């Protein structure tokens, strides 16, 4: 038996021993967190299922292991519904909001700002409501602006502006959403580019 095989066998035995002797405790099991997932439209939700639906029971609930964390995603409707039913699913450790940002790519002139503000009125109000809800007072917020178009620029600051979120310099920094020092960050992702999504979850993993 090779050294690697021997080490793996020992780890497997130790894992099984700890599970049997300590009520299911397993130090090698990924940390599990509950994520309230809100998507501006079905295209954004379908992207999440496609890229991260490792284990899923429906379009509204699925599991994905990212790094050393097991994410349980609950996409249970808009914030009004979420505030009513989130307790049925257990404590939410973080909020992930996926915004369809194609309008920013199309709207390149200042004259379109009024139209863009209207375009993002729903997500903006959702985020204001959630950030003021005591149920999510300590939850970090990860926001993705997703485009299904060819984009050569990263208009992340424009998205922050239209969502009325604090500005930031780099996606790896901690942004403070309010006096409670809640982490909040905005990331930009091209539809289908899993690596760009993973950058966001790498940031989120620091706070859950």
């Amino acid at each position: 038996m090779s050294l690697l095989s021997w080490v793996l066998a020992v780890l497997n035995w130790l894992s099984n021993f700890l599970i049997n002797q300590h009520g299911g405790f397993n130090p090698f099991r990924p940390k599990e967190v509950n994520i309230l997932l809100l998507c501006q439209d079905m295209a954004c939700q379908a992207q999440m299922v496609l890229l991260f639906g490792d284990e899923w029971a429906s379009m509204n609930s699925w599991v994905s292991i990212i790094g050393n964390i097991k994410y349980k995603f609950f996409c249970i409707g808009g914030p009004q519904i979420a505030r009513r039913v989130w307790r049925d699913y257990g404590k939410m450790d973080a909020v992930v909001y996926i915004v369809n940002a194609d309008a920013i790519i199309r709207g390149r002139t200042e004259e379109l700002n009024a139209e863009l503000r209207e375009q993002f009125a729903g997500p903006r109000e959702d985020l204001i409501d959630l950030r003021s809800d005591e149920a999510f007072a300590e939850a970090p917020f990860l926001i993705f602006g997703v485009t299904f178009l060819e984009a050569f620029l990263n208009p992340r600051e424009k998205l922050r502006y239209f969502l009325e979120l604090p500005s930031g310099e780099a996606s790896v920094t901690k942004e403070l959403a309010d006096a409670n020092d809640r982490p909040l960050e905005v990331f930009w992702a091209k539809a289908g580019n899993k690596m760009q999504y993973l950058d966001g979850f790498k940031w989120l993993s620091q706070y859950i």
Side-chain angles (χ1 to χ4, degrees), residues 94-110:
V95 176
V96 176
Y97 201 122
I98 315 292
V99 178
N100 188 330
D102 282 348
I104 292 181
I105 301 299
R106 295 192 186 99
R108 297 180 180 278
T109 63
E110 294 300 323

Side-chain angles (χ1 to χ4, degrees), residues 84-141:
R84 291 200 301 269
V85 304
W86 74 273
R87 291 176 180 82
D88 296 336
Y89 295 85
K91 179 180 180 294
M92 293 296 161
D93 299 290
V95 176
V96 176
Y97 201 122
I98 315 292
V99 178
N100 188 330
D102 282 348
I104 292 181
I105 301 299
R106 295 192 186 99
R108 297 180 180 278
T109 63
E110 294 300 323
E111 291 77 9
L112 293 175
N113 275 358
E115 295 181 24
L116 289 173
R117 285 193 63 82
E118 179 65 25
Q119 176 74 23
F120 295 106
R124 182 170 60 250
E125 292 171 4
D126 291 348
L127 288 167
I128 290 173
D129 288 346
L130 286 169
R131 291 166 61 199
S132 62
D133 193 314
E134 291 184 2
F136 304 99
E138 298 180 0
F141 277 62

Side-chain angles (χ1 to χ4, degrees), residues 2-200:
S2 68
L3 178 60
L4 177 59
S5 298
W6 182 84
V7 170
L8 291 175
V10 170
L11 289 176
N12 184 61
W13 175 87
L14 180 59
S15 175
N16 290 331
F17 173 80
L18 289 170
I19 291 173
N20 294 329
Q21 296 297 319
H22 298 280
F25 171 73
N26 183 358
F28 308 110
R29 181 180 298 159
K31 177 182 180 181
E32 297 185 2
V33 297
N34 291 338
I35 302 295
L36 174 62
L37 176 66
L38 297 172
C39 299
Q40 186 178 5
D41 54 36
M42 286 302 296
C44 293
Q45 184 174 340
Q47 275 286 302
M48 289 297 294
V49 174
L50 177 65
L51 296 177
F52 298 104
D54 297 344
E55 306 171 22
W56 60 287
S58 70
M59 284 288 288
N60 298 321
S61 178
W62 64 89
V63 171
S64 183
I65 296 178
I66 305 173
N68 62 346
I69 299 176
K70 185 175 184 179
Y71 291 86
K72 296 182 178 180
F73 292 101
F74 297 97
C75 191
I76 51 183
Q80 297 296 329
I81 298 175
R83 284 200 295 273
R84 291 200 301 269
V85 304
W86 74 273
R87 291 176 180 82
D88 296 336
Y89 295 85
K91 179 180 180 294
M92 293 296 161
D93 299 290
V95 176
V96 176
Y97 201 122
I98 315 292
V99 178
N100 188 330
D102 282 348
I104 292 181
I105 301 299
R106 295 192 186 99
R108 297 180 180 278
T109 63
E110 294 300 323
E111 291 77 9
L112 293 175
N113 275 358
E115 295 181 24
L116 289 173
R117 285 193 63 82
E118 179 65 25
Q119 176 74 23
F120 295 106
R124 182 170 60 250
E125 292 171 4
D126 291 348
L127 288 167
I128 290 173
D129 288 346
L130 286 169
R131 291 166 61 199
S132 62
D133 193 314
E134 291 184 2
F136 304 99
E138 298 180 0
F141 277 62
L142 169 60
I143 301 160
F144 284 105
V146 178
T147 178
F148 295 82
L149 305 173
E150 289 299 326
F152 301 99
L153 299 176
N154 181 337
R156 193 163 59 99
E157 290 307 314
K158 280 192 175 182
L159 183 59
R160 286 180 182 273
Y161 171 76
F162 290 116
L163 295 179
E164 297 183 2
L165 298 172
S167 62
E169 297 179 356
S171 59
V172 296
T173 61
K174 177 178 178 179
E175 295 300 330
L176 305 184
D178 53 28
N180 295 324
D181 290 350
R182 175 198 294 141
L184 180 151
E185 187 57 285
V186 176
F187 284 77
W188 186 259
K190 179 73 170 62
N193 190 327
K194 189 172 184 177
M195 293 303 298
Q196 291 178 329
Y197 283 92
L198 290 175
D199 286 341

